[in-house]
Amino acid sequence: MADANEDPTIFTAHSLPSDPRLWATVTNAYLGTRSFLHTLEDSSFRAAQCIYAHRTLPHVLAFSVSLSRLAAGGGPITVLLQAAFSPESPDLDLHLGPDFQGARYLYGHTLTPEQPGGAQQEVHMLWTPVPPALTLGEAEEDRTWEFLAVVGSSQAEAQACLTEALRLQAGGTLYTAHAQAWAQLWAGCGLDVAGPLALRQALRGALYYLLSALPQPGIPGYICHGLSPGGLSNGSREECYWGHVFWDQDLWMFPNVLMFHPEAARALLEYRIRTLAGALDNARNLGYQGAKFAWESAGSGLEVCPEDIYGTQEIHINGAVVLAFQLYYHSTQDLQLFQEAGGWDVVHAVAEFWCSRVEWSPGEEKYHLRGVMPPDEYHSGVNNSVYTNVLVQNSLRFAAALARDLGQPVPERWLVVADKIKVPFDLKHNFHPEFDGYEPGEEVKQADVVLLGYPVPFSLSPRVRRKNLEIYEAVTSPQGPAMTWSMFAVGWMELKDPRRAWGLLEKSFANITEPFKVWTENADRSGAVNFLTGMGGFLQAVLFGFTGLRITRTGVPFDPMCPAGVSGVCISGISYQGNMLDFSFCEDSVTIEIRDCAGPWAPPLEVELWPSQARLPLPPGHKVSFPRSAGRIQRSLPQEAEAASCSPRTFC
């Protein structure tokens, strides 16, 4: 297509958005701001300013100003600077302290603790002062000045980070280290299509913003604080949910992170492990056993949602948390996380919660889950949310399977509840009602029942899958959050309806703003900005919807399909059990290549084609192509493992 030759990494506009919320977010996993590269130029000089959140030093924000002489000769060139920094904050109690290595120092704490009577988080900031003007000397052709801001949770941490940044700055490598880290990250993963430029740019922008929110691989001692729907907290609940962590992290963002960045995926799971104590307290406070993860979680894992109804009723978050652990386990086989680092404790505690939360119905001879709120927040206090109950089944069955793998006992009650929990189904209309008593035609807020099948593993006949999509598409609010339509698109791709899939995916573009592809939670520009959850759903629609890729216990099935307007897909850097894969397809063929292995422990892989069941070895470093069909990437059997080290094989 004509658009395929355009560069999807370049976003251009004649002017910046009048609403600064829609400027590009510049973040790492710890610090961020909204800003841009700005250049001024006349006949004699060019001045450029740039701000970046350092990729390998997550406690550092760097700001640079560069002056370049454009005309030969001439005298000194002076540029005036305006610095609007103020040490006052509505959220922090700050005080000036002694300078450190030429940097100014502020210290203090948050004004509001996470929990009443709890500790107030310490804040320590060092920054290099900005002069009123910069001058390019008469004999100089160009020069760059760099200014630093460092934030830490202790004075020692802030000082150590500044010292390291100054060391890199003195060697002229501060920006180089940042740029190289980003180049390394992009070299390791990618997602592109042969299709409209707007789609390609939207994918690139979403992947950039999601990667920006994650820790750089290999940063020693970094602790991940989770992913919030609007990214880092910036002082406005309406725009960022105060940085709290919801199910958005586990269901909407995590699958993308896992496919490209398993180390960061583990860091997100470690956040849930660190907050397990708070989840145990949440369950006890509600009168149940096990763990109930907070609807809004912060540092401790205790519920911090300001409205009790969500914290007590949206218990489906537990199922999303366990699903993330399940996908990670199948994708990485990282037994250490479950045996030694607390992963098993999370899965076990959620299983215990479910078994204490259900109630037996003698009349139906089924377990019921009463008084819940499903993802559709227009309905509260309902019984037997089909989405929630299916997640209960999934959590308990995974807990049992994991227990067997780890040599742990399997409580019989887990399997009994999984087998006997009610999964509402309307035989007359051949669809899944959202909950007991739901009537077709009732408006719903967002994707709910349509999440069954994907991302929630649940077997559905094509007829029922279609009926669920048709019924809920007609009644889903157009004012709902951005991630919804992506999941409808995935459903229609499963049913091989490319026209309808593209039509639903196109609805997501109403939430993408120009020119920086910043997402808003709602199409009317309200809600969280920059909305990582919407990006997560959008990326999944391509990464898992176009390709049919799924992460399962037995491998990674695929069933590629190009929606209307797209003729090919290329994904680089898929991680599966220590192997790094490239997966691409066009209208008539599929190509898979293992381009790297993490070590000798990474198992050799093969691809099994369906329906022929032909098995093709995937030798590292060689492309294997075959006519487009469904299949599964899986561990090789012993004889195929030996063949994988032989010469390349191509099948057309």
Side-chain angles (χ1 to χ4, degrees), residues 134-197:
L134 298 174
T135 299
L136 185 68
E138 185 173 348
E140 294 179 303
E141 292 297 316
D142 55 70
R143 184 178 175 186
T144 296
W145 293 262
E146 290 178 321
F147 307 96
L148 305 174
V150 176
V151 179
S153 58
S154 70
Q155 183 181 31
E157 181 178 59
Q159 290 180 348
C161 292
L162 177 66
T163 300
E164 176 62 15
L166 290 173
R167 184 187 70 80
L168 293 178
Q169 188 180 55
T173 59
L174 182 67
Y175 180 76
T176 302
H178 167 77
Q180 287 178 344
W182 265 111
Q184 179 184 3
L185 203 59
W186 283 121
C189 68
L191 176 59
D192 200 5
V193 300
L197 179 61

Side-chain angles (χ1 to χ4, degrees), residues 67-372:
L67 294 180
S68 301
R69 194 181 299 276
L70 300 181
I77 298 173
T78 298
V79 173
L80 302 180
L81 302 182
Q82 292 181 338
F85 174 74
S86 169
E88 298 179 358
S89 168
D91 303 305
L92 304 171
D93 177 26
L94 296 174
H95 307 275
L96 279 170
D99 289 359
F100 176 77
Q101 296 190 32
R104 307 296 304 278
Y105 174 48
L106 274 175
Y107 68 95
H109 57 76
T110 57
L111 291 172
T112 305
E114 178 189 311
Q115 298 292 327
Q120 293 166 297
Q121 176 68 47
E122 288 188 37
V123 179
H124 298 262
M125 178 179 177
L126 291 160
W127 77 98
T128 50
V130 177
L134 298 174
T135 299
L136 185 68
E138 185 173 348
E140 294 179 303
E141 292 297 316
D142 55 70
R143 184 178 175 186
T144 296
W145 293 262
E146 290 178 321
F147 307 96
L148 305 174
V150 176
V151 179
S153 58
S154 70
Q155 183 181 31
E157 181 178 59
Q159 290 180 348
C161 292
L162 177 66
T163 300
E164 176 62 15
L166 290 173
R167 184 187 70 80
L168 293 178
Q169 188 180 55
T173 59
L174 182 67
Y175 180 76
T176 302
H178 167 77
Q180 287 178 344
W182 265 111
Q184 179 184 3
L185 203 59
W186 283 121
C189 68
L191 176 59
D192 200 5
V193 300
L197 179 61
L199 173 60
R200 301 179 68 211
Q201 288 184 324
L203 290 171
R204 182 72 172 195
L207 190 55
Y208 163 72
Y209 290 125
L210 185 59
L211 292 174
S212 295
L214 297 169
Q216 177 73 7
I219 294 179
Y222 176 76
I223 296 176
C224 177
H225 300 283
L227 289 176
S228 186
L232 295 171
S233 178
N234 55 53
S236 170
R237 175 176 170 76
E238 288 73 23
E239 292 180 19
C240 69
Y241 290 106
W242 293 329
H244 294 167
V245 179
F246 295 69
W247 71 314
D248 305 52
Q249 168 187 281
D250 310 280
L251 193 86
W252 296 100
M253 305 180 215
F254 183 86
N256 305 297
V257 176
L258 176 60
M259 287 292 267
F260 289 129
H261 202 340
E263 185 176 336
R266 175 173 168 138
L268 296 176
L269 298 184
E270 287 171 343
Y271 167 77
R272 292 301 190 188
I273 293 170
R274 286 198 314 277
T275 56
L276 176 59
L280 293 168
D281 283 345
N282 294 335
R284 278 193 294 268
N285 292 337
L286 293 172
Y288 301 110
Q289 299 173 16
K292 191 274 176 188
F293 282 90
W295 180 242
E296 295 192 33
S297 179
S300 69
L302 293 170
E303 185 62 69
V304 292
C305 181
E307 298 171 81
D308 289 343
I309 189 171
Y310 301 105
T312 59
Q313 292 193 16
E314 293 216 54
I315 59 176
H316 63 82
I317 187 172
N318 265 13
V321 169
V322 169
L323 179 57
F325 278 86
Q326 177 181 343
L327 295 176
Y328 180 81
Y329 179 64
H330 294 333
S331 180
T332 68
Q333 289 293 292
D334 180 2
L335 288 172
Q336 192 276 338
L337 179 77
F338 293 90
Q339 291 175 325
E340 303 171 21
W344 165 247
D345 297 332
V346 169
V347 175
H348 180 277
V350 170
E352 289 297 298
F353 174 82
W354 288 135
C355 289
S356 72
R357 182 63 172 78
V358 296
E359 303 173 39
W360 179 250
S361 169
E364 291 192 79
E365 295 188 337
K366 293 285 185 181
Y367 284 103
H368 285 197
L369 203 55
R370 297 190 173 99
V372 304

